[in-house]
Amino acid sequence: MSASTGEPVLRVEGLRTVVETPRGTVTAVTDMDLSVHAGETVAVVGESGSGKSAFAYSIIRLVQPPGRVAAGRILLGGRDILPLDEAAMRDIRGREMAMVFQEPSTSLNPLMPVGAQVAEAILLHEKDVTRAHARARTLDLLRLVGIPAPERRVDEYPHQLSGGMRQRIVIAMALACRPALLLADEPTTALDVTVQAQVLDLIDRLKAELGMGVVLITHDLGLVADHAQRVAVIYAGRKVEEGPAEAVLSDPAHPYTRALLACRPDPWQDASQPLVEIPGVVPPPLARPPGCAFAPRCAMAEPACRSVIPTLNPIGPGRQVACLVASRERAAA
Ligand SMILES: Nc1ncnc2c1ncn2[C@@H]1O[C@H](COP(=O)(O)OP(=O)(O)OP(=O)(O)O)[C@@H](O)[C@H]1O
Ligand SMILES: [Mg+2]
């Protein structure tokens, strides 16, 4: 199926996720809309604390109390999964959608051989698979994710594998039942640059082979050009810009996206030079200013930005921006 036709694998509408704390209700994600088609990677980009993980946990229904999804719809293959109970969700997790978590090592049991963990992921969802068949499928999966000498590695424990190999095992577990949707939360942050590229290339290849939709969560806009077709930029729990990756990267509309791009490390830069950072920090959820949450850090902010929360406006094919100034500029252009 082409990346732009038919029912999306995932459609999120008006998602709002909150955490009740003694000091008040923290809004981790709000007004989030996002669609992902089969064979498409959509990157979700934003600084630390912007709500990326909260968004992914909401989709796979693993938000832990006192957190909860407070509003919205999460349509998986057209069916809203928000009303489903935990038993129904357990059936969907792994089989229809899977997640590679931000801390890969926490997904593995240190006391169990890695192959047995992948086999368990298969046996959990496919009741009539024999153990011998599950082991054969496991070896195929280890091969698929590029584990060398899988016949030997299959019986090794997590500590016997390098960080890159462990991450491949985690991906093999996520792909064990060929999910239609893969949520990858900073899947390569803990890895060095070479292994990072290999793991992302692997996800790209498997996406094409299995026809999955992928949500790639990252704080690194540098990865977006090579690995995503579309990008959603989030700031303080809200989507501030979305569009085709190439268009957003070459011609960013939101001042926040521009600032993120300006902060990308220059590969030719002397390593002793400090990295550029956007001045200021993401406002903590209980101290968000009225109006646009980026206004206090924004060089373009006008008085109205400090009182009105901007809505997303269309600014071109498949493109939207939530910024009073950018919307006006683009409308005039
Ligand atoms: N249990 C909780 N109690 C209070 N606040 C929480 C809780 N869980 C999440 N939050 C808040 O929700 C917001 C979003 O957090 P989240 O972990 O989703 O950010 P992130 O974009 O994934 O950041 P990072 O890049 O560091 O992984 C943060 O401001 C965080 O402080
Ligand atoms: Mg996170």
Side-chain angles (χ1 to χ4, degrees), residues 158-181:
H159 75 269
Q160 293 173 282
L161 274 63
S162 68
M165 287 298 146
R166 278 199 295 271
Q167 188 61 306
R168 284 163 193 255
I169 297 289
V170 170
I171 292 171
M173 283 169 70
L175 298 177
C177 295
R178 301 183 164 246
L181 178 72

Side-chain angles (χ1 to χ4, degrees), residues 21-66:
T21 75
R23 292 171 53 222
T25 303
V26 165
T27 303
V29 176
T30 193
D31 286 336
M32 258 310 261
D33 295 337
L34 196 78
S35 288
V36 181
H37 287 83
E40 181 184 44
T41 297
V42 179
V44 174
V45 177
E47 283 167 291
S48 187
S50 54
K52 304 182 296 296
S53 293
F55 178 58
Y57 278 78
S58 302
I59 295 169
I60 201 159
R61 300 271 320 275
L62 285 176
V63 176
Q64 299 303 313

Side-chain angles (χ1 to χ4, degrees), residues 73-95:
R73 300 207 302 160
I74 297 169
L75 299 140
L76 191 65
R79 172 169 71 142
D80 189 0
I81 59 163
L82 263 185
L84 299 183
D85 64 13
E86 180 53 26
M89 276 313 300
R90 264 199 299 272
D91 196 40
I92 285 177
R93 272 184 225 121
R95 205 163 51 78

Side-chain angles (χ1 to χ4, degrees), residues 256-271:
Y256 178 59
T257 316
R258 291 185 202 171
L260 276 181
L261 275 164
C263 294
R264 278 170 61 185
D266 175 354
W268 307 111
Q269 180 178 298
D270 175 352

